[in-house]
């Protein structure tokens, strides 16, 4: 059976879909699938887009949005092209999100590993600092963890001058360095 464009529209509007859809499939499926393949899709993509095109076409006719400015063939090809381009945008956006996720996931994993390593190193350093005297622990904590300048350290520790504070810090660092050298695992982590 042969349908004119008017007969296709009338068949859809009267819900006589079986013959109309069969006709559309027979005459336009291959063309639409071919167009999708030429725009980078697979044969499966072409079949899927054709199915979606027919559903969209029927919906547009029922809503009175097919104004017959073009032939049914031209309209179907145009609808299929728009559906495929939207699908490509969606896939590209999804691929981009996946790439961003993979990139950021690797960075997050690296940051977590680095953070854990730093935490373990800090804990081991604090443990070694526990082997130092009270005065050394306090001056190193004030200098390295609280980032205080020597004039404030001098006041807090009750030293006579900043030079005394510098000398004391130097001696404490030497003592801590000796403890670190005796702990090869910690020494290796600090050098990384």
């Amino acid at each position: 059976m042969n349908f004119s464009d008017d007969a296709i529209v009338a068949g859809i509007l009267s819900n006589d879909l079986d013959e109309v859809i069969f006709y559309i499939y027979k005459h336009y499926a291959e063309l639409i699938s071919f167009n999708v393949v030429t725009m980078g899709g697979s044969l499966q993509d072409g079949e899927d887009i054709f199915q979606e095109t027919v559903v969209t076409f029927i919906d547009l006719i029922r809503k009175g949005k097919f104004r017959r400015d073009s032939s049914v063939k031209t309209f179907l090809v145009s609808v299929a092209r728009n559906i495929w381009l939207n699908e490509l945008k969606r896939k590209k956006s999804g691929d981009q999100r996946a790439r961003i996720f993979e990139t950021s996931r690797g960075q997050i994993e690296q940051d977590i590993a680095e953070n854990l390593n730093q935490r373990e190193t800090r804990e081991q350093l604090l443990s070694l600092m526990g082997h130092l005297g009270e005065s050394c622990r306090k001056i190193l904590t004030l200098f390295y963890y609280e980032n205080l300048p020597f004039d404030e350290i001098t006041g807090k520790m009750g030293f006579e001058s900043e030079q005394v504070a510098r000398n004391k810090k130097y001696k404490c660092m030497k003592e801590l360095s000796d403890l670190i050298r005796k702990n090869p695992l910690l020494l290796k982590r600090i050098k990384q």
Side-chain angles (χ1 to χ4, degrees), residues 2-64:
N2 229 355
F3 284 93
S4 66
D5 288 356
D6 289 337
I8 290 172
V9 172
I12 291 171
L13 290 174
S14 68
N15 281 331
D16 188 17
L17 295 178
D18 290 340
E19 289 182 19
V20 171
I21 290 174
F22 180 75
Y23 178 83
I24 291 172
Y25 182 83
K26 183 177 175 187
H27 288 88
Y28 304 120
E30 192 174 311
L31 172 67
I32 288 171
S33 291
F34 176 77
N35 283 339
V36 170
V37 170
T38 61
M39 291 189 294
S42 66
L43 286 174
Q44 183 62 51
D45 291 330
E47 291 173 15
D48 293 344
I49 296 300
F50 174 74
Q51 296 295 329
E52 198 171 333
T53 298
V54 171
V55 170
T56 302
F57 177 65
I58 291 169
D59 187 52
L60 290 172
I61 287 178
R62 287 180 175 165
K63 290 180 178 176

Side-chain angles (χ1 to χ4, degrees), residues 19 23 131 142 163-164 175:
E19 289 182 19
Y23 178 83
H131 295 290
L142 291 172
Q163 189 57 47
V164 172
E175 193 178 331

Side-chain angles (χ1 to χ4, degrees), residues 18-185:
D18 290 340
E19 289 182 19
V20 171
I21 290 174
F22 180 75
Y23 178 83
I24 291 172
Y25 182 83
K26 183 177 175 187
H27 288 88
Y28 304 120
E30 192 174 311
L31 172 67
I32 288 171
S33 291
F34 176 77
N35 283 339
V36 170
V37 170
T38 61
M39 291 189 294
S42 66
L43 286 174
Q44 183 62 51
D45 291 330
E47 291 173 15
D48 293 344
I49 296 300
F50 174 74
Q51 296 295 329
E52 198 171 333
T53 298
V54 171
V55 170
T56 302
F57 177 65
I58 291 169
D59 187 52
L60 290 172
I61 287 178
R62 287 180 175 165
K63 290 180 178 176
K65 294 190 177 186
F66 177 61
R67 296 184 305 255
R68 301 180 192 188
D69 295 340
S70 61
S71 67
V72 167
K73 175 183 175 181
T74 303
F75 192 74
L76 285 170
V77 169
S78 176
V79 168
R81 183 176 188 279
N82 287 332
I83 291 171
W84 176 242
L85 291 176
N86 285 334
E87 180 67 18
L88 285 176
K89 284 180 195 172
R90 188 185 64 74
K91 282 182 180 181
K92 184 177 180 182
S93 174
D95 291 347
Q96 187 173 4
R97 278 194 298 273
R99 278 193 304 278
I100 289 169
F101 172 75
E102 287 300 317
T103 302
S104 64
R105 184 179 79 173
Q107 184 61 46
I108 289 168
E109 287 172 356
Q110 183 180 352
D111 290 348
I112 289 170
E114 193 173 303
N115 191 344
L116 287 173
N117 192 23
Q118 286 175 353
R119 184 181 301 160
E120 286 176 16
T121 302
R122 194 174 320 125
E123 286 172 2
Q124 286 182 336
L125 274 172
L126 290 172
S127 171
L128 285 177
M129 283 179 65
H131 295 290
L132 299 174
E134 178 68 30
S135 176
C136 278
R137 279 196 307 268
K138 191 168 183 182
I139 194 169
L140 293 177
T141 301
L142 291 172
F143 186 78
Y144 288 107
Y145 288 100
E146 295 183 23
N147 296 317
L148 294 181
F150 278 108
D151 62 333
E152 288 185 42
I153 293 172
T154 300
K156 285 189 181 263
M157 297 292 294
F159 294 133
E160 298 170 18
S161 68
E162 284 184 35
Q163 189 57 47
V164 172
R166 288 178 198 277
N167 290 344
K168 181 68 173 167
K169 181 205 152 252
Y170 174 78
K171 287 177 185 173
C172 292
M173 277 304 298
K174 184 165 178 8
E175 193 178 331
L176 182 61
S177 294
D178 291 341
L179 287 171
I180 291 172
R181 265 192 232 97
K182 292 176 186 173
N183 186 337
L185 183 64

